[in-house]
Amino acid sequence: MDFYESIFNQKINSLKANGAYRYFLEVNKSAQHFPKFYFQDEQQVLKSAINWCSNDYLCMSTEEDVIAKLSYTAYKSGTGSGGTRNISGTTIQHRELEDTLANWHQKESALVFNSAYQANITALQTIGKHIPSLVFISDERNHASLIEGIRAAGNEKIIYPHNSISSVETALAALPFDQPKILVFESIYSITGTVAPIAELIALAKKYNALTYIDEVHAVGMYGTKGSGMVEALNLQQEADIINGTLSKAIGVFGGYIAASATVVDFIRSYGSGFIFTTSLPPAICSAANKSIQLIQENEHWRLALHHNVGLLRAALVENNIPFSTNQSHITSIKVSGALQCRQVAKALLYEQGIYLQPINHPTVPIGEECVRIIITRKHLPKHIAYLAYSLKKILHGKNSLDWKEFPSLHTANESGEK
């Protein structure tokens, strides 16, 4: 065992040496005080900070009606489902949630998974393995779950430059019309915040007889009249073939799903090992997610508040001379090249300013594209935004060169580097 331990330790130490090692900050989340949270430093002193990392965009995890629905269903139905969907793990709450999701995306059917990551891997792998001649055409900036699903399928794949319509058409045109093919992309990319040319990509897929698979995890809840995503905002729900979404970000609960035709969903349900052999979501989680989606559809002003805050944030960054990624989405990233430098900036923000921003390092982003990503919610206040901009200016412009010696108490501080 010592031999293997030494190998593992070498790998871990290499991450620590180049700044890519990922620490966890133990957040004491408060539904009442969100986005403020509490944590203990190395001296076990209780401190507070403002969370600028949470993907709970609409703060639905703190919404009283959602919490009440979860509590009530757990009291009535218990804490777990008790099995896979095939073995006692299908409840009325699962069916109700899938009906809501299908209607929300204007699809015939939907299928719930334990995460959007699992949904992507299972759906893409299953489609590829059962159509061996199928070719995947995938954006180079696609999420790890899309990459893993395509890789697990083992089919031929074509990776095209990010959002390059001409490259997609070249790839499609080079394949026989009757060659099975599927175009895989995200509607909003999670780090850069870039928005895919969805209408053009769907049109090309139709022209060249390809399926479309669209990951909407950073769009569901926040775009469209009913909030189901960018595809809805563009009135393309009938044109998109398979939509992947999450229950864990704007919906504020847990899980993921696909929405598609009844045939596609039944096919994935029947053949997808990642679905068949996994214990299903607890009924209380399904019930809470269902309630959250219903509230999101009824309260467009929550989405408007979020996007209003995005405008306030970017105006404050401009005013304080903080460069950031420009895009048409709600995601705002600030480049901090170098993993160590990025981590030092994040530590200084947390421990000196009470600002929690994740360092985004490799492999989440390519080496050299390290950044801190600002995620604003509908509950961030103008005073929070002003203080964030002030803090970023102080840390980024106030110190010409960050050095570990400047932060002796930060060497073992915790922060999450997860995407």
Side-chain angles (χ1 to χ4, degrees):
M1 185 63 183
D2 289 343
F3 170 75
Y4 298 103
E5 289 279 327
S6 66
I7 295 174
F8 301 147
N9 276 320
Q10 287 174 11
K11 295 293 184 180
I12 292 170
N13 289 334
S14 69
L15 290 176
K16 290 180 177 179
N18 63 28
Y21 185 74
R22 299 178 179 215
Y23 299 89
F24 293 151
L25 178 68
E26 294 184 2
V27 172
N28 186 355
K29 182 182 175 184
S30 169
Q32 291 72 38
H33 300 155
F34 190 84
K36 179 186 283 188
F37 69 92
Y38 304 91
F39 68 100
Q40 290 184 333
D41 64 15
E42 310 93 281
Q43 287 75 43
Q44 304 304 303
V45 175
L46 185 66
K47 294 186 175 182
S48 67
I50 299 298
N51 194 337
W52 293 94
C53 304
S54 174
N55 289 323
D56 189 6
Y57 295 113
L58 299 180
C59 308
M60 298 306 293
S61 74
T62 69
E63 193 65 28
E64 289 186 359
D65 287 345
V66 176
I67 296 170
K69 191 68 174 179
L70 187 148
S71 300
Y72 175 78
T73 306
Y75 176 76
K76 298 289 287 185
S77 300
T79 57
S81 68
T84 67
R85 290 291 293 274
N86 298 302
I87 305 174
S88 82
T90 297
T91 67
I92 59 172
Q93 287 83 11
H94 289 84
R95 190 261 303 162
E96 289 170 349
L97 174 58
E98 288 172 345
D99 286 348
T100 295
L101 288 167
N103 290 332
W104 200 27
H105 289 285
Q106 296 183 23
K107 293 297 180 188
E108 292 177 343
S109 191
L111 192 65
V112 173
F113 292 77
N114 288 18
S115 70
Y117 193 107
Q118 183 189 38
N120 275 336
I121 290 178
T122 301
L124 293 172
Q125 175 183 342
T126 304
I127 292 170
K129 283 192 171 182
H130 288 271
I131 310 177
S133 60
L134 179 133
V135 178
F136 288 99
I137 302 170
S138 175
D139 191 288
E140 67 176 351
R141 291 281 181 169
N142 274 343
H143 185 261
S145 58
L146 297 170
I147 295 169
E148 288 298 327
I150 293 170
R151 181 182 294 139
N155 297 54
E156 180 185 350
K157 61 179 181 287
I158 299 170
I159 310 301
Y160 63 87
H162 181 50
N163 279 350
S164 174
I165 297 172
S166 61
S167 297
V168 171
E169 180 153 27
T170 297
L172 288 168
L175 296 170
F177 186 79
D178 59 355
Q179 170 91 46
K181 47 191 123 27
I182 184 168
L183 179 58
V184 182
F185 60 94
E186 300 178 45
S187 61
I188 295 177
Y189 289 81
S190 61
I191 302 299
T192 61
T194 50
V195 179
I198 300 170
E200 292 89 340
L201 291 173
I202 289 177
L204 283 175
K206 298 294 183 186
K207 178 180 178 182
Y208 291 100
N209 192 34
L211 287 173
T212 48
Y213 188 101
I214 307 174
D215 183 316
E216 284 252 67
V217 296
H218 281 278
V220 292
M222 294 173 290
Y223 296 87
T225 303
K226 294 294 184 181
S228 69
M230 289 297 296
V231 173
E232 183 207 341
L234 295 170
N235 195 30
L236 291 170
Q237 289 181 297
Q238 299 298 319
E239 304 300 317
D241 294 310
I242 307 170
I243 293 173
N244 168 271
T246 181
L247 307 172
S248 307
K249 292 182 170 62
I251 296 171
V253 189
F254 184 75
Y257 62 90
I258 59 167
S261 71
T263 300
V264 168
V265 168
D266 196 26
F267 166 72
I268 301 299
R269 183 191 71 84
S270 300
Y271 285 96
S273 59
F275 174 82
I276 294 169
F277 297 107
T278 300
T279 298
S280 66
L281 287 175
I285 292 294
C286 294
S287 185
N290 196 16
K291 181 64 176 180
S292 179
I293 295 168
Q294 292 168 2
L295 291 171
I296 288 170
Q297 293 184 77
E298 296 166 2
N299 291 277
E300 186 179 10
H301 64 281
W302 289 345
R303 290 188 291 286
L304 296 177
L306 169 71
H307 293 293
H308 176 70
N309 276 350
V310 172
L312 293 179
L313 167 66
R314 293 182 176 179
L317 293 177
V318 169
E319 183 178 349
N320 286 272
N321 194 29
I322 307 294
F324 60 91
S325 60
T326 56
N327 54 59
Q328 296 178 311
S329 75
H330 57 283
I331 293 172
T332 305
S333 297
I334 297 171
K335 188 174 181 180
V336 185
S337 294
L340 283 171
Q341 181 86 341
C342 192
R343 182 152 60 114
Q344 290 166 3
V345 166
K347 287 177 181 291
L349 286 167
L350 178 63
Y351 282 86
E352 294 183 12
Q353 304 299 126
I355 296 291
Y356 183 40
L357 275 173
Q358 291 176 323
I360 308 295
N361 297 325
H362 179 78
T364 304
V365 294
I367 293 173
E369 296 186 19
E370 296 82 7
C371 65
V372 289
R373 178 182 61 179
I374 304 173
I375 300 295
I376 198 164
T377 73
R378 69 177 173 97
K379 286 191 176 180
H380 280 94
L381 302 175
K383 66 179 182 180
H384 296 144
I385 295 170
Y387 184 68
L388 170 67
Y390 160 79
S391 298
L392 285 166
K393 182 177 182 180
K394 178 180 179 181
I395 298 301
L396 293 175
H397 298 330
K399 299 179 187 297
N400 293 326
S401 133
L402 289 166
D403 191 291
W404 278 110
K405 292 180 289 186
E406 298 182 46
F407 310 109
S409 64
L410 305 184
H411 294 178
T412 58
N414 297 325
E415 89 283 337
S416 168
E418 291 302 317
K419 187 173 178 180

